[in-house]
PDB file of all heavy atoms in Angstrom:
ATOM      1  N   ARG B 206       6.589  17.776   5.868  1.00 96.00           N
ATOM      2  CA  ARG B 206       7.055  16.769   6.893  1.00 96.00           C
ATOM      3  C   ARG B 206       6.913  17.289   8.302  1.00 96.00           C
ATOM      4  O   ARG B 206       7.097  18.504   8.587  1.00 96.00           O
ATOM      5  CB  ARG B 206       8.571  16.637   6.614  1.00 96.00           C
ATOM      6  CG  ARG B 206       9.204  15.319   7.215  1.00 96.00           C
ATOM      7  CD  ARG B 206      10.573  15.035   6.648  1.00 96.00           C
ATOM      8  NE  ARG B 206      11.164  13.826   7.359  1.00 96.00           N
ATOM      9  CZ  ARG B 206      12.288  13.310   6.929  1.00 96.00           C
ATOM     10  NH1 ARG B 206      13.124  14.039   6.106  1.00 96.00           N
ATOM     11  NH2 ARG B 206      12.795  12.234   7.569  1.00 96.00           N
ATOM     12  N   GLY B 207       6.511  16.410   9.105  1.00 93.00           N
ATOM     13  CA  GLY B 207       6.201  16.705  10.500  1.00 93.00           C
ATOM     14  C   GLY B 207       4.696  16.923  10.684  1.00 93.00           C
ATOM     15  O   GLY B 207       4.267  17.052  11.858  1.00 93.00           O
ATOM     16  N   LYS B 208       3.929  17.076   9.624  1.00 96.00           N
ATOM     17  CA  LYS B 208       2.503  17.203   9.740  1.00 96.00           C
ATOM     18  C   LYS B 208       1.778  15.850   9.346  1.00 96.00           C
ATOM     19  O   LYS B 208       2.426  14.999   8.729  1.00 96.00           O
ATOM     20  CB  LYS B 208       2.020  18.280   8.722  1.00 96.00           C
ATOM     21  CG  LYS B 208       2.673  19.726   9.048  1.00 96.00           C
ATOM     22  CD  LYS B 208       2.078  20.697   8.052  1.00 96.00           C
ATOM     23  CE  LYS B 208       2.633  22.010   8.350  1.00 96.00           C
ATOM     24  NZ  LYS B 208       2.182  23.070   7.359  1.00 96.00           N
ATOM     25  N   ARG B 209       0.512  15.797   9.773  1.00 96.00           N
ATOM     26  CA  ARG B 209      -0.166  14.584   9.480  1.00 96.00           C
ATOM     27  C   ARG B 209      -0.468  14.518   7.934  1.00 96.00           C
ATOM     28  O   ARG B 209      -0.814  15.478   7.296  1.00 96.00           O
ATOM     29  CB  ARG B 209      -1.577  14.556  10.170  1.00 96.00           C
ATOM     30  CG  ARG B 209      -1.431  14.562  11.664  1.00 96.00           C
ATOM     31  CD  ARG B 209      -0.944  13.164  12.190  1.00 96.00           C
ATOM     32  NE  ARG B 209      -2.130  12.306  12.407  1.00 96.00           N
ATOM     33  CZ  ARG B 209      -1.987  11.064  12.965  1.00 96.00           C
ATOM     34  NH1 ARG B 209      -0.798  10.625  13.185  1.00 96.00           N
ATOM     35  NH2 ARG B 209      -3.009  10.330  13.077  1.00 96.00           N
ATOM     36  N   ASN B 210      -0.186  13.354   7.356  1.00 98.00           N
ATOM     37  CA  ASN B 210      -0.318  13.163   5.912  1.00 98.00           C
ATOM     38  C   ASN B 210      -1.839  12.989   5.499  1.00 98.00           C
ATOM     39  O   ASN B 210      -2.681  12.489   6.373  1.00 98.00           O
ATOM     40  CB  ASN B 210       0.494  12.012   5.416  1.00 98.00           C
ATOM     41  CG  ASN B 210       0.924  12.138   3.981  1.00 98.00           C
ATOM     42  OD1 ASN B 210       0.667  13.002   3.291  1.00 98.00           O
ATOM     43  ND2 ASN B 210       1.588  11.095   3.532  1.00 98.00           N
ATOM     44  N   GLU B 211      -2.143  13.196   4.264  1.00 98.00           N
ATOM     45  CA  GLU B 211      -3.455  12.956   3.751  1.00 98.00           C
ATOM     46  C   GLU B 211      -3.410  12.701   2.302  1.00 98.00           C
ATOM     47  O   GLU B 211      -2.417  13.053   1.609  1.00 98.00           O
ATOM     48  CB  GLU B 211      -4.364  14.044   4.093  1.00 98.00           C
ATOM     49  CG  GLU B 211      -4.016  15.382   3.490  1.00 98.00           C
ATOM     50  CD  GLU B 211      -5.001  16.490   3.781  1.00 98.00           C
ATOM     51  OE1 GLU B 211      -6.014  16.650   3.052  1.00 98.00           O
ATOM     52  OE2 GLU B 211      -4.842  17.228   4.841  1.00 98.00           O
ATOM     53  N   PRO B 212      -4.430  12.120   1.611  1.00 98.00           N
ATOM     54  CA  PRO B 212      -4.383  11.723   0.201  1.00 98.00           C
ATOM     55  C   PRO B 212      -3.984  12.882  -0.737  1.00 98.00           C
ATOM     56  O   PRO B 212      -3.386  12.543  -1.733  1.00 98.00           O
ATOM     57  CB  PRO B 212      -5.712  11.149   0.030  1.00 98.00           C
ATOM     58  CG  PRO B 212      -6.144  10.540   1.305  1.00 98.00           C
ATOM     59  CD  PRO B 212      -5.639  11.500   2.297  1.00 98.00           C
ATOM     60  N   ALA B 213      -4.444  14.015  -0.436  1.00 98.00           N
ATOM     61  CA  ALA B 213      -4.147  15.083  -1.388  1.00 98.00           C
ATOM     62  C   ALA B 213      -2.687  15.325  -1.552  1.00 98.00           C
ATOM     63  O   ALA B 213      -2.219  15.840  -2.633  1.00 98.00           O
ATOM     64  CB  ALA B 213      -4.764  16.459  -0.862  1.00 98.00           C
ATOM     65  N   ASN B 214      -1.908  14.923  -0.582  1.00 98.00           N
ATOM     66  CA  ASN B 214      -0.413  15.104  -0.615  1.00 98.00           C
ATOM     67  C   ASN B 214       0.295  14.211  -1.529  1.00 98.00           C
ATOM     68  O   ASN B 214       1.524  14.324  -1.666  1.00 98.00           O
ATOM     69  CB  ASN B 214       0.176  15.055   0.797  1.00 98.00           C
ATOM     70  CG  ASN B 214      -0.347  16.110   1.728  1.00 98.00           C
ATOM     71  OD1 ASN B 214      -0.866  17.169   1.350  1.00 98.00           O
ATOM     72  ND2 ASN B 214      -0.292  15.872   3.024  1.00 98.00           N
ATOM     73  N   VAL B 215      -0.420  13.243  -2.080  1.00 98.00           N
ATOM     74  CA  VAL B 215       0.254  12.305  -3.082  1.00 98.00           C
ATOM     75  C   VAL B 215       0.867  13.129  -4.240  1.00 98.00           C
ATOM     76  O   VAL B 215       1.798  12.631  -4.937  1.00 98.00           O
ATOM     77  CB  VAL B 215      -0.710  11.182  -3.471  1.00 98.00           C
ATOM     78  CG1 VAL B 215      -1.748  11.771  -4.505  1.00 98.00           C
ATOM     79  CG2 VAL B 215       0.023  10.034  -4.151  1.00 98.00           C
ATOM     80  N   LEU B 216       0.304  14.278  -4.545  1.00 98.00           N
ATOM     81  CA  LEU B 216       0.851  15.102  -5.650  1.00 98.00           C
ATOM     82  C   LEU B 216       2.305  15.543  -5.386  1.00 98.00           C
ATOM     83  O   LEU B 216       3.027  15.691  -6.395  1.00 98.00           O
ATOM     84  CB  LEU B 216      -0.055  16.290  -5.843  1.00 98.00           C
ATOM     85  CG  LEU B 216      -1.517  15.949  -6.219  1.00 98.00           C
ATOM     86  CD1 LEU B 216      -2.235  17.265  -6.587  1.00 98.00           C
ATOM     87  CD2 LEU B 216      -1.621  15.081  -7.431  1.00 98.00           C
ATOM     88  N   HIS B 217       2.722  15.729  -4.122  1.00 98.00           N
ATOM     89  CA  HIS B 217       4.061  16.062  -3.894  1.00 98.00           C
ATOM     90  C   HIS B 217       4.985  14.839  -4.244  1.00 98.00           C
ATOM     91  O   HIS B 217       6.052  15.023  -4.878  1.00 98.00           O
ATOM     92  CB  HIS B 217       4.247  16.388  -2.419  1.00 98.00           C
ATOM     93  CG  HIS B 217       3.580  17.700  -1.988  1.00 98.00           C
ATOM     94  ND1 HIS B 217       4.103  18.898  -2.325  1.00 98.00           N
ATOM     95  CD2 HIS B 217       2.450  17.960  -1.345  1.00 98.00           C
ATOM     96  CE1 HIS B 217       3.321  19.823  -1.827  1.00 98.00           C
ATOM     97  NE2 HIS B 217       2.276  19.311  -1.257  1.00 98.00           N
ATOM     98  N   THR B 218       4.528  13.687  -3.893  1.00 98.00           N
ATOM     99  CA  THR B 218       5.322  12.535  -4.241  1.00 98.00           C
ATOM    100  C   THR B 218       5.408  12.299  -5.744  1.00 98.00           C
ATOM    101  O   THR B 218       6.463  11.966  -6.330  1.00 98.00           O
ATOM    102  CB  THR B 218       4.697  11.245  -3.491  1.00 98.00           C
ATOM    103  OG1 THR B 218       4.768  11.435  -2.072  1.00 98.00           O
ATOM    104  CG2 THR B 218       5.451   9.975  -3.892  1.00 98.00           C
ATOM    105  N   LEU B 219       4.160  12.465  -6.401  1.00 98.00           N
ATOM    106  CA  LEU B 219       4.219  12.410  -7.838  1.00 98.00           C
ATOM    107  C   LEU B 219       5.220  13.347  -8.506  1.00 98.00           C
ATOM    108  O   LEU B 219       5.957  12.887  -9.360  1.00 98.00           O
ATOM    109  CB  LEU B 219       2.781  12.750  -8.361  1.00 98.00           C
ATOM    110  CG  LEU B 219       2.643  12.840  -9.807  1.00 98.00           C
ATOM    111  CD1 LEU B 219       2.723  11.398 -10.450  1.00 98.00           C
ATOM    112  CD2 LEU B 219       1.174  13.476 -10.153  1.00 98.00           C
ATOM    113  N   ALA B 220       5.316  14.542  -7.987  1.00 98.00           N
ATOM    114  CA  ALA B 220       6.199  15.562  -8.620  1.00 98.00           C
ATOM    115  C   ALA B 220       7.645  15.046  -8.423  1.00 98.00           C
ATOM    116  O   ALA B 220       8.457  15.193  -9.447  1.00 98.00           O
ATOM    117  CB  ALA B 220       6.043  16.915  -7.915  1.00 98.00           C
ATOM    118  N   VAL B 221       8.088  14.553  -7.342  1.00 98.00           N
ATOM    119  CA  VAL B 221       9.353  14.018  -7.155  1.00 98.00           C
ATOM    120  C   VAL B 221       9.660  12.830  -8.023  1.00 98.00           C
ATOM    121  O   VAL B 221      10.790  12.724  -8.585  1.00 98.00           O
ATOM    122  CB  VAL B 221       9.638  13.746  -5.671  1.00 98.00           C
ATOM    123  CG1 VAL B 221      11.023  13.057  -5.517  1.00 98.00           C
ATOM    124  CG2 VAL B 221       9.745  15.033  -4.894  1.00 98.00           C
TER     125      VAL B 221
END
Side-chain angles (χ1 to χ4, degrees):
R206 200 166 179 182
K208 300 179 180 180
R209 298 287 273 181
N210 205 2
E211 62 179 274
N214 296 340
V215 74
L216 297 184
H217 293 282
T218 299
L219 174 69
V221 168

